[in-house]
Amino acid sequence: MLRSVKLFAALLKWPMWPLLKYKIVPEQPVTDLALDKTRPLFYICTTESAADLAAIRRVCASLALPDPIENVELNGTTHPRTLFLEKPHNLLFKRGKTTALTQGQALLQAHLADPALNAQLVPVALLWGRAPGKENSIKWLLGEAHAPNWLAKLLIVLISGRHTLVRFSRAVSLQQMAAQFGADQDTAHKLLRMSRFHFYRQRLAATGPKLVNRAQLFNALLAAPALKKAIDDEARSKKISTSSARAEARKLLLEIAADYRASTLRVGDRVLRWLWQKLYTGINVNNADMLRDLAQKGHEIVYVPCHRSHMDYLLLSYVIYQQGLVPPHIAAGINLNFWPAGPIFRRGGAFFIRRSFSGNKLYSAVFREYLCQLFAKGYSVKYYSEGGRSRTGRLLQPKTGMLAMTLQSMLRGIERPVTLVPVYLGYEHVMEVNTYLRELKGSGKQKESVWGVLKAIRNLRDYGYGYVNFGQPLTLNNYLNQRVPDWKQDIDPLEAAKPQWLNPVVADLAQQMMQRINQAAALNSINLIALCLLATDKHVLTRSELVQQLSFYLKLQRAVPYNSQVSLPAEGADELIEHALKLQKVSQQSDSFGQLIQLSDDNAILLSYYRNNVLHLFVLPAIIASAILHQRDVTAAELNNIVQQLYPLLKQELFLDVADVGQYSAAILQQLLDSGLAEQHAGQYRAPAQHSQGYFMLSLLAQTAEHTLQRYAMVLQLIESQGPQSRAELEKHSHELAQRLLQLHGINAPEYYDKQLFATLLNALKDCGYSQTDQHSRVSSTASLQQLNDTVSLLLRNEVLQSIQSILPASAS
């Protein structure tokens, strides 16, 4: 029978050629999975199907892997290269069994007899189409049946053949398995059992659970005890009938719930592939193998990305789909629910969320019940904890509502491990960046509409590279076991009471996720060049100066990485500059003295956004550079003291997470010495000679922290010079002082317009004990604030410091 399947597979090679189009995961399985072509290689697949075998043959040929039809000779004995777990169903007769058990046992015995053998068994999963199927559907007709018969397989190939996923997995060492478990029939059974479970998990990870009829889902949600209680409470509080409250709850479900459809994903995959080719030079993805591993282990994955652009919704779902995983259900702002985008997003898995739940207990209950249902059914979910797009390029302070509801869903008794996956999304061009500064300056937020979409499509051009970096995952079960060991005692299907530990745990969790997003940052041509050019007064450097500074920044991150997950460009400084010139982010002028690289005034404002994406990677080196630059001689202990003073504020504002700040600072200092940006004399550190290249490079690095230190100086001196004042007054005066400095010194940076940054700083000052609140809720200084103010003043340029001090007495009077 196996021989006829091989023969038929060979005959199908050309007839199937136009019907088959596949995606291989991972893209380079030989290198990504460390397959050794010098060792014997076997495949294990699910169904003994000629169509499957023909497809796998074509894939293996494209990868220069051995032909699955061939036999393999081990110690004079011939073995089929491919093992099949089961036969397809028959139309008329009961299906038989494959020879996989005897094949597996023979391979194990061969390895037990000859320990020098070390063959690899590679699982190859083939998914014709990636529709999850629907509950209570006609399985054979829709191609959802397990091991379908030849007629169903014919329909599947015709309908879904051009949307096929081929997933290679890490090889099993047959020698290791034989040595550990032996070569009897039980061991062969164990091998096949493991393979079946492995393929089941892979299918579930790629397609997701079966879809529930939307009407049935709504009925189930409305019948849930927690929501029935909320409906009864709504009826009593508003003095309406229960049926009216129930109708309102159903209306809210229609507003919220996704209408997930596999056909939309298939079309979206093709459209987005075309769109990315138009928009981007390429999409760089890092650490995706971790995702596949989590899915294989059965984790409930919750994606928590940063939010730079509306493009985030499409890009992240597309990348996840391309990694062989089912795209998540996405929490999208209700502002995106406009025609035609809203219905398309909804069918692609988006569920819509209002900006605020306050004052609407029924909406809160309906939304929470819907989210719990998604987790209970096993759907992955994606939400943006920032709550909106960043207008400055920095991460926003997180909103904790969705994280709280995720934990509350766990308290319903979800059995699977729930894992949060932070995602850093980076771009060399954000389409909305032109509108962000206008919004920060006070213009109203532009309402999303179909006209805005059409305008954006009309302006499509090459936007460089996009970056999707998956950060270090956090499994909530383990996290809660450490933070709240007895958390399982609070599991309650009705959520009768919110546990006391919930709010502080959610707040800590939110901070950790933002830190992990920043740990996975992507350095690229645009944000690196922005760091360099924006540090100069006229936003211009000679090409040689720019090459030197770029090379130093890359060397610094390689020698003293902020985090091992930060991705760096493979190109050198010259190639990065050429790429930026191609994208028209910078311009180049040549004369008899050489080449100048510069920014126009408009581009300087826009590039500050991209600089802020990665500011956290260089702020501590910049603080150290500022201290060396502005103080003639400074000891290592004094430098460490300065960093230790400022680190808590920077940590809260920029979501820093450095395990040992002292050790990290010492490594940076050593790198500055090795690179000629600092000198050491009698145990003290100083800047190089003022006209040297090292001094110039040190000043460029120091300038990176200038705007942050200026804002600190404003707030600190306002608190000291004007005495106790209300929080609102202090935020207002800080913002007004920032506007005055903008005019006096020609500063034009998005963060100076962002009132939220001043609010974040005031929170950090209070948390770190630098300020306090009196009985009238007024903010005043503590004894340690003067010392902090002196430290910040030492790190600033004199002219900016004098401007702040000259303005404050006048405003105080």
Side-chain angles (χ1 to χ4, degrees), residues 61-80:
S62 70
L63 297 170
L65 285 171
D67 190 337
I69 285 182
E70 294 175 348
N71 292 324
V72 182
E73 187 174 301
L74 299 179
N75 294 339
T77 304
T78 300
H79 301 267

Side-chain angles (χ1 to χ4, degrees), residues 523-525 528-529 531-532 541 543-560 568-569 571-577 618 671 675 677 693 697 700:
L523 284 170
N524 59 52
S525 166
L528 282 167
I529 288 175
L531 278 167
C532 299
L541 287 169
R543 182 163 183 141
S544 61
E545 288 170 341
L546 182 55
V547 166
Q548 282 186 304
Q549 197 72 16
L550 286 172
S551 300
F552 167 68
Y553 285 159
L554 291 171
K555 182 180 178 182
L556 177 64
Q557 284 298 325
R558 290 189 177 104
V560 192
L568 275 67
E571 300 83 3
D574 270 310
E575 293 171 289
L576 296 178
I577 294 171
F618 294 93
Q671 191 61 34
S675 302
L677 274 69
Q693 183 66 29
M697 294 174 67
L700 290 181

Side-chain angles (χ1 to χ4, degrees), residues 361-374:
K361 292 183 178 179
L362 182 60
Y363 181 85
S364 179
V366 169
F367 188 89
R368 187 165 60 248
E369 194 65 35
Y370 176 72
L371 189 64
C372 288
Q373 187 68 233
L374 292 180

Side-chain angles (χ1 to χ4, degrees), residues 262-274 276 318 321:
S263 58
T264 303
L265 295 180
R266 286 197 296 270
V267 174
D269 178 50
R270 295 187 179 96
V271 171
L272 290 178
R273 189 182 300 117
W274 168 84
W276 303 144
Y318 173 81
Y321 193 65

Side-chain angles (χ1 to χ4, degrees), residues 603-638:
N603 266 354
I605 299 170
L606 300 180
L607 259 68
S608 62
Y609 184 93
Y610 306 107
R611 174 201 60 194
N612 289 346
N613 290 173
V614 295
L615 182 64
H616 63 285
L617 302 180
F618 294 93
V619 68
L620 289 181
I623 294 294
I624 295 170
S626 297
I628 295 172
L629 194 67
H630 294 295
Q631 299 187 51
R632 175 63 182 169
D633 292 295
V634 59
T635 65
E638 289 170 335

